[in-house]
Amino acid sequence: MSERRFIEESFPVKEVSKIASKEKNSHQNTLSALHTWWSRKPLASSRATAYAALVPEPKDVDDLNARRNFIIELSKWENSNNRELLDKARKDILKANDGQPPKVLDPFGGGGSIPLEALRLGCETYTGDLNPVAVLIQKATLEYPQKYGSTVTRESKSIMFGKKKVNPLLEDIKKCANWVLQEAKKEIDRFYPIDPDGSIPVGYYWMRIVKCQNPSCNAEIPLTPTWWLVNNRRYRISIKPVYSGKEVSFVLEGTGFEEISADFDPTAGTVSRGVVVCPKCGSVMSSQTLKQLYQSGKHCQKIAVVILRNGHSATKFRLAMERDTNAYEEACELLKEKTRIVRAKWGIEPVPDEPLPPKDSHRAVGSQIPLYGFSTWGDLFNERQKLAAIVFSGKIRSLISSFEEENDPEYAKALSLYVSFVLNRMLVYLSTLTRWRSDHASFESAFNRQTLTLIWNFGEINPFSQQRGGWNSEAIIKSIADIIKSNLGHATVSQNSATELTYRNDTFDAVITDPPYYDNVPYSYLSDFFYVWLKRSVGDLYPEFFSTSLTPKKSEIAAYQKVPKEFRNGKEFFEVMLKKAFLETRRILKPNGLAVIVYAHKTTEGWETLINSLLDSGLVMTAAWPMNTEMTSRSNSMETASLASSIYIIARKVNRSGIAFYNEVREELKKHLDRKLDRLWAEGIGGGDFFIAAIGSAIEIFGKYEKVMDLQGNIIRADRLLEDVRTIATDYAIRQILHNGFASEISDKTRLYVLWRWNYGDAKVPFDEARKLAQSCGLDLSLEWNGKGFIRKEKEFVRLLGPQDRKLKELEDTHELIDVLHKTLLLWESSKRDELLQLLSDSGFGKNDAFYRVAQAI
């Protein structure tokens, strides 16, 4: 391959980011329909970066622009299976690799996006993961469709059409899924009774109940943050509690019912942040008392039923009736009998008895649920949900015997796995963590967020309703059909640890991977939700993946778990393990091989950890491209400067040239960055992404040496380097923002204000990030906040005040440009024209071109 690759010189960041973000927000990613996986990278950015990493650097400007335009087209969702574009991409890659498909590895394969796109581009692809759920997802994505997905021609039953092309794999998945559905219906369909008028129950709306602790009241308290059952443009229906003594019942009010009572506020629920208010007597119950009550005994009550009227597409609502209660109680009785029979047959407890994550495991999984007395994964399901999951699992287990008689046993295993994925898709809507969305009048997946959250008022879907969340194989079939269209080769999928790879030295042309991000997503804990049920449905078919009670955690590279005694804390464990993974990456890369490492962490410490781990492993970053790979609807994105981008880091194994002194390296760095920063600015990269890309360019110079020392003999590490790179990039950015003029005429505080707005807009910024930006402007942030100026510290965040946050009295006798600008705007807003002109005259800024340039830039 070429010594330099295209991705090391250029990349259409803005365009690919836009396409990738659209893919995430519109749920176009084929793999997300196959099986849930968290923080799965978009196919658009995976395909674009893989191609750019495998073709040579541009020969000239025309070649650069042509290649960039091709990458943009290649990354578009509608071109995922564009034969002409894919053939050209494959030819380009083969030509760059002496006519041989390059060997590409993803040691952190996860949800399979990166290896799928490497496969789509014609690479000899290898992938793996420590997590068995991830490995099974990859087998279903990268092995089975390629092995069994060929289309065949069959005689049509219709004389008119003669022969037709069919895909046996897709037909058999549908056939098997439908067989499981019909067999399950025979056993448990009666527990979801149809209404006398033919209306079908889509699902049930439940509330958890506790007793009021006021001795004179002792009434039932339904736990709900709101009484709205539906609150959108079409319907406004509330659930109103009605008391008869201590017992509570309900009435529906609003659209289609009696008008909402004038004295009833549906927004005033009973629970907020764990604190409960009794709707009957007004007594307040603390969150600690609620936890104690819930640990001692859990009680839930069906409130309403979501129904689909026969012959109508619109959903309707009614209160739960006696027949609904009776059906549920009958299901509870059958569960007892079924559990006893199946326990003996399977040799395993049918309802998952594996422990939930402990309360100190991770904020996303252990901060809430264990505190309310939930101890096993089975506790997250009500009795009817447990029964349904057991019955469907049992039917999947029965598939293998019927299909092995006529088919290859491996093919039967593949079919069983796909049908188990249909069950997993249903289970995320079939637990007491299923949220009811009053604004959408629909059920929401338990994993709509990357966390396990206790829901006070939850939904229970009817598996047989054919509505959202019910048993349905169509999405999975569509996903596999899309993968098959690409005419992919065969990938090698294995379960392994990225710190102990089994491949020989100098094997791979490229390693493209998305490793864990410090402590962002607790993959192993979240995937246990599926692992415990996969064990019961297909565990006997894949015994190599289900030998442990839960997914492996001891070797998982994460900063949130309990670590071996030789490590001081999770941070040290993460750094050491990540370094080991990078050492393995370096070992198995060919001498001129390339690594593309996707990383996202919003703190400077996270970056320093990554860079030091790379340098210590012998890999040197040669470029870094920030791409928006996350959904734009993140709940905190408007309030804080959360990192919306993933950083695609390009690294090589290089021969280092001994020791260098930092004063010399810094001069080399400045010359190198001058050229690189011009390119980044021309690419349209701005804000915090500009600094990220600058860092990627800088490490290439820094990493050429075994050691970099200052004149006192101190080893220079990533923290010092990042400090200087940010200062160089800051100077450059200010010159560009102010159109190459007046940058030297403005104060340090004004520089900070301009860069902050450019970087973060109005967002609050974590203190460490704010401190680093201020430092690059020559300011000590701790000396600046909470005075009369525009800098404010709010807990662990720092915020810059805008003119709307300030008062005229606070801005008297100030000569700082930003203060004068804010005062000018406040006077203008108050129509105090004479005072405004006097201020500009007295301050001298009225005739200062820099003042107007800064105002224009902001």
Side-chain angles (χ1 to χ4, degrees):
M1 276 207 172
S2 166
E3 276 302 311
R4 298 280 293 180
R5 316 281 171 86
F6 187 86
I7 200 169
E8 294 177 281
E9 291 298 316
S10 180
F11 192 83
V13 172
K14 287 177 67 177
E15 295 86 352
V16 174
S17 290
K18 187 175 180 181
I19 295 166
S21 181
K22 181 181 177 183
E23 178 186 319
K24 268 290 180 99
N25 283 281
S26 58
H27 302 287
Q28 290 176 324
N29 190 308
T30 303
L31 302 186
S32 63
L34 184 64
H35 198 285
T36 298
W37 194 255
W38 305 271
S39 193
R40 184 186 257 128
K41 288 294 158 279
L43 300 180
S45 56
S46 300
R47 184 159 62 249
T49 50
Y51 173 82
L54 297 169
V55 296
E57 64 181 326
K59 297 188 288 287
D60 50 40
V61 174
D62 290 338
D63 184 31
L64 183 147
N65 289 330
R67 191 82 75 180
R68 281 171 56 88
N69 290 334
F70 177 74
I71 289 171
I72 293 167
E73 287 302 307
L74 182 68
S75 67
K76 291 178 179 177
W77 170 253
E78 59 268 26
N79 291 331
S80 299
N81 293 307
N82 185 305
R83 180 65 53 213
E84 184 179 345
L85 287 175
L86 288 177
D87 283 347
K88 181 184 183 323
R90 291 166 183 170
K91 287 177 183 177
D92 290 345
I93 291 169
L94 284 172
K95 182 179 178 182
N97 199 43
D98 300 325
Q100 296 296 315
K103 288 187 175 182
V104 177
L105 169 69
D106 182 358
F108 296 99
S113 292
I114 292 172
L116 174 63
E117 293 308 324
L119 206 57
R120 205 191 300 265
L121 294 174
C123 302
E124 186 180 333
T125 304
Y126 297 78
T127 181
D129 205 287
L130 180 66
N131 191 304
V133 177
V135 175
L136 288 171
I137 292 171
Q138 291 177 54
K139 279 185 168 291
T141 306
L142 306 164
E143 279 191 10
Y144 295 152
Q146 295 74 17
K147 189 174 181 180
Y148 303 117
S150 299
T151 300
V152 299
T153 302
R154 289 178 178 170
E155 291 288 341
S156 172
K157 293 180 180 178
S158 169
I159 299 174
M160 184 182 298
F161 295 107
K163 294 182 178 181
K164 68 172 183 176
K165 289 184 177 181
V166 298
N167 191 296
L169 175 63
L170 302 182
E171 286 196 343
D172 286 344
I173 292 171
K174 187 170 186 177
K175 188 190 302 180
C176 289
N178 190 56
W179 180 85
V180 168
L181 176 65
Q182 296 307 320
E183 290 298 305
K185 268 188 174 182
K186 293 175 185 177
E187 279 199 55
I188 58 174
D189 185 34
R190 67 183 186 276
F191 301 128
Y192 305 88
I194 294 174
D195 285 5
D197 66 355
S199 296
I200 300 169
V202 173
Y204 306 86
Y205 177 86
W206 292 74
M207 286 185 189
R208 303 184 193 272
I209 306 286
V210 294
K211 289 280 188 178
C212 178
Q213 296 304 287
N214 179 355
S216 63
C217 178
N218 203 28
E220 294 176 333
I221 305 177
L223 299 176
T224 179
T226 174
W227 294 107
W228 285 117
L229 178 62
V230 188
N231 186 17
N232 56 32
R233 292 180 180 178
R234 188 170 184 178
Y235 294 111
R236 286 171 64 84
I237 303 173
S238 68
I239 300 169
K240 182 181 178 182
V242 178
Y243 281 94
S244 175
K246 298 174 183 178
E247 294 184 356
V248 65
S249 59
F250 303 91
V251 294
L252 298 182
E253 296 183 339
T255 309
F257 303 94
E258 294 291 329
E259 287 189 12
I260 296 173
S261 303
D263 61 347
F264 178 59
D265 180 7
T267 64
T270 59
V271 62
S272 176
R273 298 182 182 275
V275 177
V276 180
V277 177
C278 176
K280 187 168 187 282
C281 72
S283 295
V284 176
M285 183 189 303
S286 71
S287 60
Q288 190 58 42
T289 302
L290 175 59
K291 290 167 188 170
Q292 291 170 354
L293 280 176
Y294 220 75
Q295 287 173 12
S296 62
K298 302 173 185 63
H299 175 54
C300 304
Q301 184 172 332
K302 282 188 301 298
I303 308 299
V305 183
V306 185
I307 56 175
L308 195 63
R309 292 260 167 89
N310 193 21
H312 295 78
S313 59
T315 51
K316 300 292 182 182
F317 307 89
R318 65 169 173 79
L319 287 172
M321 299 180 180
E322 186 178 359
R323 65 173 178 270
D324 302 305
T325 301
N326 291 340
Y328 183 82
E329 290 175 352
E330 288 172 19
C332 294
E333 289 302 312
L334 181 59
L335 175 65
K336 295 174 185 176
E337 180 186 350
K338 192 79 177 174
T339 300
R340 179 179 54 80
I341 296 171
V342 171
R343 184 186 294 120
K345 187 177 180 181
W346 293 359
I348 186 175
E349 193 63 41
V351 177
D353 59 346
E354 294 88 345
L356 282 167
K359 63 182 180 181
D360 58 349
S361 54
H362 188 277
R363 62 186 179 277
V365 293
S367 61
Q368 189 185 43
I369 292 177
L371 302 177
Y372 290 90
F374 295 86
S375 59
T376 70
W377 284 99
D379 290 342
L380 302 183
F381 302 83
N382 72 23
E383 304 305 282
R384 183 163 55 188
Q385 291 170 335
K386 293 173 187 176
L387 176 64
I390 291 172
V391 168
F392 277 101
S393 295
K395 302 308 176 186
I396 294 169
R397 292 170 73 100
S398 301
L399 275 174
I400 191 76
S401 56
S402 58
F403 265 84
E404 271 189 331
E405 296 173 5
E406 306 173 16
N407 298 282
D408 171 8
E410 284 297 311
Y411 182 56
K413 279 175 62 175
L415 291 174
S416 296
L417 183 63
Y418 284 125
V419 180
S420 75
F421 282 9
V422 178
L423 174 59
N424 282 1
R425 280 181 58 88
M426 187 172 76
L427 285 174
V428 297
Y429 292 92
L430 194 69
S431 79
T432 61
L433 304 186
T434 299
R435 191 183 302 269
W436 170 257
R437 288 285 301 268
S438 61
D439 52 348
H440 293 168
S442 65
F443 298 102
E444 186 178 82
S445 162
F447 286 114
N448 193 54
R449 301 168 186 173
Q450 294 177 164
T451 181
L452 291 171
T453 306
L454 183 65
I455 305 298
W456 296 119
N457 45 350
F458 62 89
E460 178 195 9
I461 59 99
N462 173 2
F464 307 111
S465 72
Q466 297 297 300
Q467 299 300 302
R468 184 183 184 187
W471 182 269
N472 193 324
S473 62
E474 290 303 317
I476 287 175
I477 291 171
K478 184 179 178 182
S479 176
I480 301 164
D482 187 74
I483 293 169
I484 290 170
K485 283 179 189 174
S486 297
N487 190 26
L488 305 177
H490 181 73
T492 301
V493 179
S494 58
Q495 185 183 21
N496 57 36
S497 169
T499 62
E500 297 177 353
L501 298 174
T502 57
Y503 307 106
R504 293 180 179 178
N505 296 353
D506 306 330
T507 297
F508 291 96
D509 298 285
V511 172
I512 308 174
T513 192
D514 178 24
Y517 306 149
Y518 200 64
D519 64 349
N520 277 16
V521 181
Y523 296 99
S524 61
Y525 287 121
L526 292 174
S527 61
D528 283 339
F529 179 94
F530 300 111
Y531 182 85
V532 296
W533 286 110
L534 284 168
K535 187 192 298 186
R536 286 154 176 82
S537 60
V538 294
D540 289 350
L541 304 181
Y542 297 90
E544 67 274 27
F545 299 136
F546 294 96
S547 59
T548 54
S549 173
L550 294 165
T551 58
K553 296 175 178 63
K554 186 176 179 181
S555 300
E556 184 186 23
I557 301 178
Y560 55 76
Q561 62 181 22
K562 291 181 180 179
V563 298
K565 292 180 180 179
E566 61 265 31
F567 299 100
R568 289 173 295 178
N569 50 44
K571 181 177 184 292
E572 183 185 17
F573 175 78
F574 177 81
E575 290 178 11
V576 170
M577 295 297 280
L578 192 62
K579 176 184 171 182
K580 280 186 177 181
F582 289 155
L583 280 167
E584 282 291 86
T585 295
R586 187 185 190 282
R587 180 182 67 78
I588 54 91
L589 269 177
K590 291 179 179 178
N592 64 339
L594 199 72
V596 180
I597 299 161
V598 189
Y599 194 77
H601 202 270
K602 64 185 180 182
T603 67
T604 304
E605 285 86 354
W607 263 102
E608 291 169 2
T609 296
L610 175 77
I611 292 168
N612 285 331
S613 296
L614 278 171
L615 292 172
D616 290 344
S617 72
L619 290 171
V620 174
M621 195 188 306
T622 60
W625 303 105
M627 271 179 279
N628 190 346
T629 60
E630 307 306 320
M631 294 182 68
T632 56
S633 57
R634 292 170 301 116
S635 60
N636 70 337
S637 61
M638 298 301 291
E639 298 176 9
T640 61
S642 298
L643 188 66
S645 301
S646 291
I647 315 304
Y648 285 69
I649 297 160
I650 321 306
R652 285 184 174 273
K653 51 195 292 186
V654 299
N655 295 318
R656 294 179 169 178
S657 55
I659 298 174
F661 288 103
Y662 190 54
N663 59 333
E664 297 170 355
V665 173
R666 196 174 187 279
E667 287 304 311
E668 186 181 359
L669 187 65
K670 287 177 71 174
K671 291 177 183 177
H672 178 73
L673 278 179
D674 279 344
R675 180 178 69 86
K676 279 287 188 178
L677 294 178
D678 280 338
R679 170 69 61 78
L680 296 175
W681 196 270
E683 300 270 6
I685 298 172
D689 290 347
F690 184 76
F691 295 114
I692 297 294
I695 290 166
S697 302
I699 300 295
E700 183 177 2
I701 300 299
F702 188 77
K704 290 194 305 183
Y705 304 99
E706 286 287 343
K707 290 182 181 178
V708 178
M709 303 171 65
D710 62 18
L711 296 176
Q712 287 73 43
N714 300 312
I715 302 296
I716 303 298
R717 297 289 281 171
D719 54 348
R720 174 73 181 278
L721 174 71
L722 294 182
E723 202 174 290
D724 285 343
V725 171
R726 191 181 279 275
T727 300
I728 295 169
T730 294
D731 290 340
Y732 180 93
I734 281 290
R735 291 197 305 273
Q736 296 300 320
I737 293 168
L738 299 181
H739 306 293
N740 289 315
F742 312 105
S744 61
E745 297 179 29
I746 62 174
S747 69
D748 292 339
K749 285 185 180 180
T750 299
R751 290 165 65 85
L752 174 64
Y753 192 92
V754 171
L755 284 168
W756 187 294
R757 292 299 188 226
W758 181 62
N759 259 306
Y760 309 120
D762 294 328
K764 296 184 292 186
V765 175
F767 168 71
D768 184 64
E769 284 297 298
R771 180 181 67 82
K772 293 294 176 76
L773 184 61
Q775 197 169 325
S776 70
C777 296
L779 290 171
D780 182 344
L781 199 63
S782 63
L783 301 177
E784 303 294 339
W785 63 55
N786 296 339
K788 289 185 177 181
F790 51 76
I791 302 168
R792 291 287 185 274
K793 185 173 185 295
E794 298 177 357
K795 296 183 179 179
E796 70 271 31
F797 295 99
V798 177
R799 185 165 70 95
L800 258 58
L801 304 181
Q804 72 279 4
D805 303 313
R806 311 185 75 183
K807 297 178 181 178
L808 284 169
K809 288 184 178 179
E810 298 174 357
L811 295 167
E812 293 177 358
D813 302 322
T814 179
H815 302 287
E816 173 58 50
L817 186 152
I818 295 301
D819 290 338
V820 173
L821 177 59
H822 284 177
K823 188 173 182 180
T824 301
L825 292 170
L826 290 171
L827 291 170
W828 174 77
E829 187 180 43
S830 304
S831 300
K832 297 180 179 179
R833 185 173 183 275
D834 292 340
E835 291 182 44
L836 186 156
L837 294 173
Q838 189 65 44
L839 171 65
L840 292 176
S841 175
D842 292 346
S843 66
F845 284 121
K847 296 182 179 180
N848 186 326
D849 288 340
F851 177 81
Y852 297 103
R853 187 66 62 86
V854 168
Q856 184 182 38
I858 294 171

